[in-house]
Amino acid sequence: EKGGYRHFMLKEIEEQPKALKDTMTSRLLEDQDQVILDQIKLGKKELQNINRIFIVACGTAYHAGLVGKYAIERFARIPVETEVASEFRYKKPIVDEHSLVIVVSQSGETADTLAALRLAKEKGARILAITNVIGSTVSREADNVLYTWAGPEIAVASTKAYTTQLICMYMLALHIALELGTISVEFFREIRDALKQTPQMVEEILKHKHDIQKFADHNFNTNSVFFLGRGLDYYTAMEGSLKLKEISYIHSEAYAAGELKHGTIALIEKGTLIIALATQQELYEKLLSNMKEVKARGAHVVAIAQEGHEEVKKVADEVFYIPRINDHVTPVTIIPILQLIAYYIAVARGTDVDKPRNLAKSVTVE
Ligand code: M6R
């Protein structure tokens, strides 16, 4: 059933190129300047009736929601709030019939997400679910469903569900932006083509998994890891950090790189492992100086950057490169590296990778 793999997690990481393709195939066509969003009616008229968008989810799905906020705000210029489901409900959220509430859940059964969905529905909001499971409670209770065609995800740590959730978020953002006329056809094509390239790029990245394994074999003994990033890279850092702590039991944190010097830098000492994501052109220089700050305090800095960025080699101790791609979609191509780092570190530490302690695949208590 594991298809020759030692763990479901690795199998599912490697299934990502196919999952990404499946999620896009019927929705982003080469020769069409539009997104075909299944049966979802979300045209100009419906959108004009919406003045607020919320994205509500837990864990990894929440991290996909943060990228969704970025994409919708950047492309469609509508303010979006992304909230952890267990917080959303208790904040007396300002939700009404003019709100669109997007719930994201791989399983479609997470108790907090479901409770948030029900609250929003009761207040008259329109509910759009992004889920992986046909017939799940979330899929049945939402007004519309956009499926992530990731296929069954067995490992507790979410991998291919996350990257396909990202694709759904980008497609949704592009769709809304096209309907509202906030992006040009050229921009649409640029992002569409970049998304279409991701399966092949992820495939390329996965070919280098043995370099990542080597890195893990040298670093698995660490007891604390910091993931740094700015902008989109910060959201990817959050997901990378969650993956690592979830399956390797190593303490780790994700930090917005610019916030470090407001307190957390006190924790950096000789040998502290830092994974710095530096893929965003407009923030690149700033990130390099944050890397220098931690390096000066003795940290071991591993950077992830886009091919062609050579200066990063002078600052970091090690660099993993991703193939060049439009900055807006890098979360899809960086995360496989972070998933593999978490995976191989966990394997080296001998943890129960597919069923980490204290966790369940779907959290059905609030
Ligand atoms: O099934 P859901 O997407 O609603 O699950 C949400 C979280 O419980 C889930 O993403 C969790 O954070 C993963 N184990 C992370 O790898």
Side-chain angles (χ1 to χ4, degrees):
E1 51 175 5
K2 288 184 197 149
Y5 287 93
R6 185 164 159 204
H7 297 104
F8 280 110
M9 184 177 174
L10 185 60
K11 175 172 180 275
E12 290 162 5
I13 289 172
E14 298 215 353
E15 282 169 354
Q16 286 178 115
K18 179 178 185 304
L20 293 169
K21 240 183 256 162
D22 290 348
T23 301
M24 282 183 276
T25 303
S26 60
R27 291 145 170 176
L28 286 180
L29 307 179
E30 302 284 347
D31 52 352
Q32 285 196 31
D33 295 325
Q34 59 167 325
V35 184
I36 302 157
L37 280 185
D38 307 353
Q39 310 302 321
I40 305 169
K41 249 183 99 57
L42 199 58
K44 196 167 182 161
K45 201 173 114 250
E46 290 80 15
L47 287 166
Q48 275 166 347
N49 185 41
I50 287 166
N51 58 19
R52 259 170 225 276
I53 299 182
F54 292 89
I55 303 176
V56 186
C58 303
T60 287
Y62 167 71
H63 295 153
L66 292 171
V67 176
K69 169 184 165 72
Y70 170 98
I72 297 172
E73 290 186 340
R74 275 276 176 123
F75 304 169
R77 311 305 294 160
I78 307 179
V80 180
E81 277 183 56
T82 297
E83 279 281 355
V84 165
S86 55
E87 291 294 320
F88 176 79
R89 303 171 53 200
Y90 304 105
K91 289 180 69 176
K92 300 216 181 308
I94 309 171
V95 180
D96 61 21
E97 59 280 11
H98 299 295
S99 313
L100 172 65
V101 176
I102 303 170
V103 294
V104 191
S105 175
Q106 187 283 129
S107 62
E109 303 297 345
T110 300
D112 282 313
T113 309
L114 249 179
L117 179 159
R118 287 175 181 154
L119 173 83
K121 203 171 177 182
E122 203 180 281
K123 293 187 173 287
R126 173 151 178 199
I127 316 287
L128 169 61
I130 296 178
T131 181
N132 196 37
V133 181
I134 300 174
S136 58
T137 313
V138 161
S139 79
R140 282 186 275 113
E141 297 194 14
D143 298 307
N144 297 110
V145 185
L146 187 59
Y147 286 104
T148 46
W149 295 118
E153 192 182 65
I154 312 288
V156 164
S158 185
T159 54
K160 59 180 182 168
Y162 173 71
T163 37
T164 54
Q165 283 161 0
L166 293 179
I167 296 291
C168 287
M169 285 297 178
Y170 285 117
M171 293 192 299
L172 198 57
L174 285 175
H175 171 81
I176 297 174
L178 278 178
E179 288 295 327
L180 295 177
T182 50
I183 54 170
S184 64
V185 175
E186 289 71 33
F187 181 83
F188 169 77
R189 290 179 184 158
E190 226 176 277
I191 303 296
R192 177 197 61 196
D193 296 347
L195 291 172
K196 286 270 197 195
Q197 280 180 305
T198 56
Q200 195 246 321
M201 286 190 180
V202 170
E203 189 121 35
E204 222 18 71
I205 289 162
L206 296 176
K207 278 189 199 149
H208 299 285
K209 66 178 178 194
H210 296 296
D211 296 336
I212 298 172
Q213 185 169 18
K214 246 186 254 155
F215 164 79
D217 287 343
H218 283 123
N219 290 283
F220 72 92
N221 240 331
T222 181
N223 51 23
S224 177
V225 181
F226 289 85
F227 289 79
L228 304 184
R230 285 174 175 255
L232 268 185
D233 282 339
Y234 173 42
Y235 303 145
T236 314
M238 290 167 83
E239 175 57 10
S241 172
L242 175 62
K243 223 80 311 173
L244 182 72
K245 59 190 123 184
E246 178 174 28
I247 60 169
S248 76
Y249 316 150
I250 296 174
H251 167 260
S252 106
E253 284 188 48
Y255 245 80
E259 265 295 288
L260 255 198
K261 53 184 165 300
H262 298 285
T264 308
I265 201 161
L267 292 172
I268 310 296
E269 51 190 23
K270 197 170 172 333
T272 305
L273 183 57
I274 303 272
I275 300 183
L277 312 185
T279 69
Q280 301 294 296
Q281 192 56 48
E282 60 185 30
L283 300 163
Y284 185 63
E285 291 300 326
K286 292 263 160 61
L287 213 276
L288 283 185
S289 52
N290 297 136
M291 282 161 62
K292 285 178 193 154
E293 285 161 8
V294 289
K295 189 88 189 109
R297 281 147 186 98
H300 182 78
V301 180
V302 183
I304 301 180
Q306 298 208 39
E307 253 159 26
H309 283 166
E310 295 295 320
E311 316 88 275
V312 70
K313 276 193 200 149
K314 293 184 201 134
V315 184
D317 297 290
E318 294 175 65
V319 185
F320 289 114
Y321 281 109
I322 56 166
R324 258 213 190 282
I325 194 162
N326 185 296
D327 285 10
H328 293 302
V329 305
T330 55
V332 185
T333 53
I334 318 168
I335 199 65
I337 298 182
L338 304 187
Q339 293 165 347
L340 287 171
I341 289 177
Y343 175 74
Y344 284 119
I345 287 184
V347 168
R349 290 167 74 94
T351 60
D352 189 351
V353 174
D354 282 339
K355 286 202 183 79
R357 69 186 181 200
N358 310 341
L359 287 163
K361 181 64 182 161
S362 118
V363 183
T364 50
V365 290
E366 289 178 31

